Amino acid sequence: MSGAAGLIGGAAIGTSFNVLDDVLDELITKNVIFKPLLKGIKSRLDSLAPWLKYIEKSYKKLDLSDKELVNLEVHLEEGVELVQKCKKVRWWSMYKRYKYANRLIDWDGSLQRFLEILNVQGIRDVKESTVSVRNMEKLISRIESNMGIHLAVSRETFGSVPELPRVTVGLDEPLRDLKEMLLKDDVSMLVLTATGGWGKTTLATKFCQDEEVKDKFKENIFFVTVSVHPNSDVEKLYQRMKSQEAGQDPLLLVLDDVWSNSVLQKFVELKLRNYKILVTSRSEFPGFGTPYKLKPLNYKDSMTLLRHSAALGDSLSVPEDLLREILKHCKGVPLAITVTGNSLSGQAAESWLSRLEDWRKGSILDYETTLLLCLKSSIDALGDKEAIIRECFMDLVSFPEDQRISAAAFIDMWSELYMLDGDFRSIKNLHELARKGLANLVITRNENMAILDNYYSEHFVRQHDMLRDLGIYIAKLDPIEDRKRLIVLSGRNQPKWLREQKSQPINARLLSISSDGTYPTQWQSVHLPQVEVLVLNFKTENNALPEFVQKIDKLKVLIVTNYGLSPTELSNFNLLESLSNLKRIRLESISIHSITKNWVPLKSLKKISLFMCNMGQAFHNCSIKISDAWPGLEEMNIDYCDDLVELPAELCDLVRMKVLSITNCHQLSCLPEEIGNLKNLDVLRLRSCTELVRLPVSIENLTKLRCLDMYNCFGIRKLPEGIGKMRGLRKINMGQCSRLEELPLSVWDLDEQLEEVICDEEKKPFWDSFLARDKIKVTKEKSNLNWLEKPQL
């Protein structure tokens, strides 16, 4: 029995306390899975032992009701039972590890609430009995200083700036940025955002302790942790500000770990004078101050933090190459580096190597429970109203790490999985994920233009590797047969569930396989009756659709992405013929000729998207007509297909086509006259086809065409004379059409129906003669180099 536990006497509560203390001692020594959580609970019990003893004696002396102590005794007994169960959990059982880690956290939180109730009740009863509270306050002060527990006491200690860790790295530049941005006269609020464990609180603390900041705000610096459920300190501070106790001197308020903008709204509505508010949050809060995103650590700072956390100093006991490999898995996340260093501190190099090998089989989250729980709290905080955002986050892991993913792929997935009508709804969810720090949304050019014309092919998604690991981990928590999505990282390395495949069906709706293009024979026996979306990722020269795809009867969306350096062949396309529900196909970096030379009819296909594909020889000398192969096709997107010189006339036989989008095809020089056959066409998009010099005369037959997009087609000099016959036309985008010389007189006939014309400032006079000025919108080129952005560490 430890000395701390021995302070509790032989009463019932003391017995439960001592048993729990002994079990914790044993488990901390023998079990590394829950070690950080258990050490925290043990440290709390050690610090609270004298206080519990004092309260127990006070209740006896004063003959007070022991209801609260009885409840605490029951809670301690539940703790003993819980810790005993934790002893039986093995490291390979991810579900149980996560389950019992959460139970430990909940139990610890309940313990703190019990102690707050006892403290309030004890202080009140002690005061009523004229017993001195000085000793009680000393004990509470000791507890608070050791554990950081905020108990309801008569002293007003809220708002103080926490202590900095002994070593901080990578914060000098962000600190300079914060000072430069927040200390400006016209800035009153700044929102510091990053995912959990990135070091937001540490940076905010460093900001408060900066000499320049302290000199400016003197004693008027208040630091309050808000968290998911704001505590009484937040309300105390609000009431103090509301009563103007802070005076008129410069004031700095730090609201740490904010999860809802309702807290910010309260303080903004106070309309304080001469104040600054620094907010730290995992989410962005548009409309609430200037945003600042904290980046992961670079390699040098990561190494410094790892050596400090592991107490290595300049020691060479662990080889530098091994440390470098460890850091690759930590992804520059300070919390990941710290918990790794702490857990391996004092251990031989062989232990470091063993840990690295374990991570290679899974991920760091399989072994670092503290890091897992910190990251997962962002997902757990998504309420019922945000259930769709949680699902969308999980779907991001369908694509390989370190890749920029086209937002159009998610539009296809989510339109079918979640019945999202309108592409903008999927983009809205991506913006929400970005706002919550769960993904990065990269818009390569002209962000405002996308809102105007529903064009999202220049939207891309990136996700930090640690968050991707989190998504994969969460996906594996459910039993294999009950998972919503099945993520297979290699088609050749067979996962355990595939080797042990039984006859029971796997009910996932989404299946993602990242492979070398080959699939083990075991896949043939897998029963996938509910899969609606199949994502195939590979990086080889010649690839084939897996044989089992023909058995996925409910498949609605097929996305095939080649991450190699050049477009690749794709065989076995004929397997899709039996899939009567297939509506959408998206192919990236595929040679389309390998598909069209042996057409198979896909009667239900509604949309096909071709991104960076080779299609110069496609659609020629086909075995059957394209109109017979894809009779129901309504939308075709061709983007960045550099070898497309002339659009095949055969495509104009797809008379049900409503959207034809040909963008960034810089070699395309002409469109076929047969394009006038597309009588049902609603949108014709020719954006950034820079070699296109004219539109065919037959375009005047497209009487249902609503939107004509020729943005950045600077080779076009004039519009067809008969454009006025296009009675359905509502929008024309001719921005960056710098060589346009004149407009045909038939534009007069479009005056009443046209709702919007987008053009450049120098071409605006052309349209002024034909249209009302409120219909003409002038745009300026806002190109950027976001598309060159490299993944972070």
Side-chain angles (χ1 to χ4, degrees):
M1 185 186 302
S2 70
L7 291 172
I8 299 292
I13 188 173
T15 302
S16 300
F17 188 100
N18 294 335
V19 172
L20 177 59
D21 191 77
D22 288 342
V23 175
L24 283 170
D25 277 337
E26 177 187 359
L27 192 56
I28 288 172
T29 303
K30 298 180 179 180
N31 189 303
V32 298
I33 299 176
F34 304 110
K35 191 171 184 177
L37 295 174
L38 297 172
K39 288 179 69 175
I41 294 174
K42 178 67 166 60
S43 178
R44 192 180 326 283
L45 289 174
D46 287 348
S47 294
L48 294 176
W51 183 58
L52 287 173
K53 179 181 178 183
Y54 184 88
I55 285 184
E56 189 178 30
K57 287 183 176 180
S58 298
Y59 271 67
K60 290 180 178 179
K61 180 186 297 185
L62 301 171
D63 195 26
L64 302 174
S65 170
D66 62 352
K67 178 181 178 181
E68 288 83 1
L69 289 181
V70 171
N71 290 338
L72 178 58
E73 178 195 349
V74 172
H75 190 66
L76 292 174
E77 291 174 350
E78 291 173 350
V80 173
E81 182 180 356
L82 175 59
V83 174
Q84 292 284 14
K85 289 181 178 179
C86 289
K87 293 169 63 175
K88 301 177 182 179
V89 177
R90 298 296 177 258
W91 68 267
W92 58 80
S93 178
M94 289 189 298
Y95 174 74
K96 288 186 177 180
R97 288 173 53 200
Y98 175 73
K99 171 184 174 181
Y100 283 101
N102 272 315
R103 286 190 178 182
L104 285 171
I105 291 175
D106 291 342
W107 183 88
D108 190 26
S110 297
L111 175 63
Q112 293 191 51
R113 288 191 290 274
F114 266 115
L115 297 174
E116 289 185 11
I117 293 171
L118 284 171
N119 176 55
V120 172
Q121 179 71 24
I123 290 287
R124 187 194 67 197
D125 291 338
V126 165
K127 282 184 175 180
E128 290 176 355
S129 303
T130 66
V131 178
S132 172
V133 299
R134 186 172 301 170
N135 291 334
M136 178 79 79
E137 289 185 343
K138 287 182 178 179
L139 285 169
I140 294 172
S141 178
R142 173 186 167 188
I143 294 166
E144 289 178 337
S145 62
N146 288 341
M147 299 300 302
I149 299 175
H150 301 286
L151 299 174
V153 295
S154 58
R155 296 173 294 108
E156 197 172 69
T157 59
F158 70 93
S160 58
V161 179
E163 293 294 325
L164 271 173
R166 292 181 181 179
V167 172
T168 60
V169 295
L171 298 182
D172 291 342
E173 182 178 345
L175 177 60
R176 288 194 298 270
D177 292 342
L178 287 191
K179 289 165 61 176
E180 181 180 348
M181 296 171 68
L182 186 55
L183 297 184
K184 289 180 179 178
D185 293 338
D186 58 342
V187 175
S188 57
M189 181 183 292
L190 185 144
V191 182
L192 172 61
T193 68
T195 306
W198 256 248
K200 302 181 297 294
T201 300
T202 303
L203 177 56
T205 301
K206 194 174 183 68
F207 179 83
C208 293
Q209 296 188 2
D210 179 81
E211 291 301 323
E212 181 181 353
V213 174
K214 289 196 295 185
D215 183 62
K216 177 177 178 62
F217 297 102
K218 311 300 180 188
E219 300 298 322
N220 289 323
I221 299 178
F222 298 89
F223 193 112
V224 176
T225 300
V226 179
S227 74
V228 181
H229 305 291
N231 57 30
S232 58
D233 285 357
V234 179
E235 184 61 27
K236 285 181 183 180
L237 185 60
Y238 172 75
Q239 293 299 333
R240 176 168 179 173
M241 300 300 170
K242 187 176 182 180
S243 62
Q244 296 184 344
E245 291 182 24
Q248 302 302 316
D249 294 330
L251 180 146
L252 172 62
L253 171 61
V254 178
L255 299 176
D256 184 41
D257 195 25
V258 176
W259 291 72
S260 170
N261 60 14
S262 60
V263 175
L264 306 183
Q265 186 65 42
K266 288 183 64 173
F267 285 94
V268 169
E269 289 175 353
L270 290 178
K271 297 181 179 179
L272 300 171
R273 299 179 183 177
N274 204 14
Y275 74 101
K276 303 283 185 180
I277 300 179
L278 175 59
V279 178
T280 76
S281 178
R282 304 183 186 199
S283 301
E284 298 175 4
F285 296 112
F288 287 92
T290 306
Y292 183 84
K293 193 165 187 176
L294 186 60
K295 298 178 181 179
L297 297 177
N298 60 32
Y299 171 75
K300 180 180 178 181
D301 291 330
S302 296
M303 182 62 77
T304 300
L305 183 58
L306 179 61
R307 285 190 167 277
H308 167 74
S309 302
L312 291 175
D314 297 328
S315 170
L316 300 178
S317 57
V318 181
E320 189 82 5
D321 289 347
L322 181 53
L323 295 179
R324 185 180 296 109
E325 289 298 313
I326 287 284
L327 286 178
K328 286 182 180 179
H329 291 267
C330 293
K331 317 293 187 184
V333 180
L335 179 60
I337 297 169
T338 300
V339 297
T340 299
N342 288 341
S343 64
L344 291 171
S345 179
Q347 298 190 33
E350 288 76 11
S351 297
W352 290 72
L353 183 59
S354 175
R355 183 71 58 87
L356 180 61
E357 289 300 316
D358 289 338
W359 291 355
R360 286 170 175 166
K361 297 175 184 177
S363 82
I364 185 175
L365 298 180
D366 292 326
Y367 299 89
E368 299 297 349
T369 307
T370 302
L371 176 63
L372 167 66
L373 295 174
C374 175
L375 294 176
K376 194 173 183 300
S377 61
S378 296
I379 310 304
D380 294 338
L382 297 173
D384 293 339
K385 293 182 179 180
E386 297 176 301
I388 183 66
I389 303 301
R390 184 187 300 111
E391 296 302 318
C392 288
F393 167 79
M394 295 296 299
D395 292 337
L396 296 185
V397 303
S398 303
F399 299 89
E401 63 183 359
D402 293 332
Q403 297 295 335
R404 196 182 62 175
I405 311 159
S406 174
F410 296 113
I411 290 175
D412 286 338
M413 292 168 58
W414 297 341
S415 294
E416 299 299 333
L417 286 175
Y418 311 124
M419 305 300 291
L420 296 180
D421 295 329
D423 295 354
F424 68 93
R425 298 187 187 278
S426 295
I427 299 299
K428 173 180 174 291
N429 289 341
L430 287 175
H431 276 287
E432 189 65 15
L433 287 170
R435 188 184 71 82
K436 293 182 177 297
L438 298 174
N440 291 327
L441 186 59
V442 180
I443 303 172
T444 56
R445 296 183 179 91
N446 300 297
E447 178 176 0
N448 293 331
M449 297 302 299
I451 300 172
L452 293 174
D453 59 13
N454 202 38
Y455 173 70
Y456 300 110
S457 292
E458 292 175 348
H459 287 57
F460 296 89
V461 183
R462 271 208 174 113
Q463 188 178 41
H464 191 276
D465 289 349
M466 191 67 73
L467 290 173
R468 183 174 182 276
D469 288 348
L470 173 64
I472 293 173
Y473 185 95
I474 296 173
K476 294 189 295 185
L477 288 177
D478 294 324
I480 184 67
E481 61 272 12
D482 295 331
R483 293 178 189 174
K484 294 181 180 179
R485 51 191 64 75
L486 194 59
I487 311 299
V488 183
L489 300 184
S490 175
R492 183 180 292 275
N493 296 331
Q494 304 170 36
K496 182 179 179 181
W497 63 264
L498 183 59
R499 297 195 305 269
E500 300 175 353
Q501 174 65 22
K502 306 295 191 304
S503 59
Q504 78 271 19
I506 297 175
N507 294 311
R509 296 181 66 194
L510 185 154
L511 170 61
S512 170
I513 304 177
S514 297
S515 76
D516 58 0
T518 61
Y519 304 90
T521 56
Q522 285 90 339
W523 273 109
Q524 286 300 102
S525 62
V526 176
H527 187 28
L528 300 163
Q530 303 299 326
V531 168
E532 297 178 38
V533 176
L534 174 60
V535 180
L536 299 176
N537 308 297
F538 44 69
K539 195 176 181 179
T540 52
E541 292 184 0
N542 293 285
N543 297 276
L545 293 179
E547 293 286 342
F548 67 84
V549 72
Q550 62 186 328
K551 298 191 299 181
I552 309 180
D553 298 329
K554 289 190 176 182
L555 189 65
K556 296 179 180 179
V557 180
L558 172 65
I559 300 175
V560 182
T561 305
N562 162 38
Y563 288 98
L565 297 178
S566 59
T568 183
E569 299 283 319
L570 181 64
S571 57
N572 278 359
F573 202 77
N574 60 299
L575 297 176
L576 302 178
E577 184 176 359
S578 62
L579 304 180
S580 59
N581 291 299
L582 186 60
K583 297 180 181 180
R584 297 166 182 256
I585 294 177
R586 179 177 178 83
L587 305 176
E588 298 194 16
S589 196
I590 301 294
S591 175
I592 304 303
H593 180 63
S594 63
I595 295 172
T596 59
K597 64 182 179 182
N598 293 307
W599 277 112
V600 292
L602 301 174
K603 302 295 185 181
S604 60
L605 190 65
K606 300 295 183 184
K607 177 181 177 182
I608 186 165
S609 299
L610 310 174
F611 180 76
M612 296 184 69
C613 292
N614 277 353
M615 57 179 301
Q617 301 300 317
F619 309 110
H620 293 294
N621 301 318
C622 300
S623 56
I624 61 174
K625 291 182 178 180
I626 187 174
S627 56
D628 292 334
W630 300 341
L633 195 70
E634 296 178 355
E635 180 173 350
M636 174 176 280
N637 298 294
I638 304 172
D639 193 26
Y640 283 102
C641 295
D642 291 337
D643 68 337
L644 180 63
V645 177
E646 182 178 354
L647 189 70
E650 291 86 347
L651 293 180
C652 300
D653 293 334
L654 298 166
V655 294
R656 293 190 180 183
M657 187 96 72
K658 294 181 180 179
V659 177
L660 177 58
S661 180
I662 308 172
T663 56
N664 300 294
C665 295
H666 302 298
Q667 300 300 317
L668 180 67
S669 58
C670 65
L671 299 176
E673 274 298 327
E674 290 83 352
I675 200 169
N677 296 337
L678 299 175
K679 302 289 187 178
N680 292 299
L681 203 62
D682 181 68
V683 175
L684 176 59
R685 184 171 289 118
L686 305 168
R687 177 179 296 236
S688 295
C689 292
T690 53
E691 291 297 313
L692 191 63
V693 295
R694 67 178 183 86
L695 298 179
V697 174
S698 68
I699 197 174
E700 65 186 41
N701 297 327
L702 303 180
T703 56
K704 292 185 180 181
L705 192 70
R706 179 184 54 83
C707 176
L708 176 60
D709 183 357
M710 297 181 291
Y711 180 84
N712 200 33
C713 290
F714 54 74
I716 292 182
R717 297 181 181 273
K718 60 181 181 179
L719 298 179
E721 290 293 334
I723 193 172
K725 298 179 182 180
M726 302 172 69
R727 298 301 184 182
L729 204 56
R730 296 294 182 268
K731 179 186 295 186
I732 299 177
N733 186 345
M734 295 198 66
Q736 299 298 306
C737 290
S738 56
R739 296 182 184 177
L740 185 68
E741 297 175 348
E742 59 181 359
L743 298 177
L745 293 178
S746 66
V747 171
W748 282 108
D749 299 328
L750 301 177
D751 180 35
E752 293 185 4
Q753 67 193 55
L754 265 181
E755 298 172 357
E756 182 178 77
V757 170
I758 300 172
C759 64
D760 303 326
E761 184 68 45
E762 60 269 23
K763 302 303 177 184
K764 183 176 180 294
F766 288 9
W767 295 97
D768 283 338
S769 304
F770 296 94
L771 302 177
R773 292 188 175 183
D774 62 340
K775 295 184 178 182
I776 305 171
K777 290 183 171 54
V778 175
T779 181
K780 294 182 179 180
E781 173 69 17
K782 294 183 179 179
S783 297
N784 59 61
L785 297 179
N786 286 341
W787 59 284
L788 293 175
E789 182 185 76
K790 299 294 183 183
Q792 294 174 332
L793 176 67

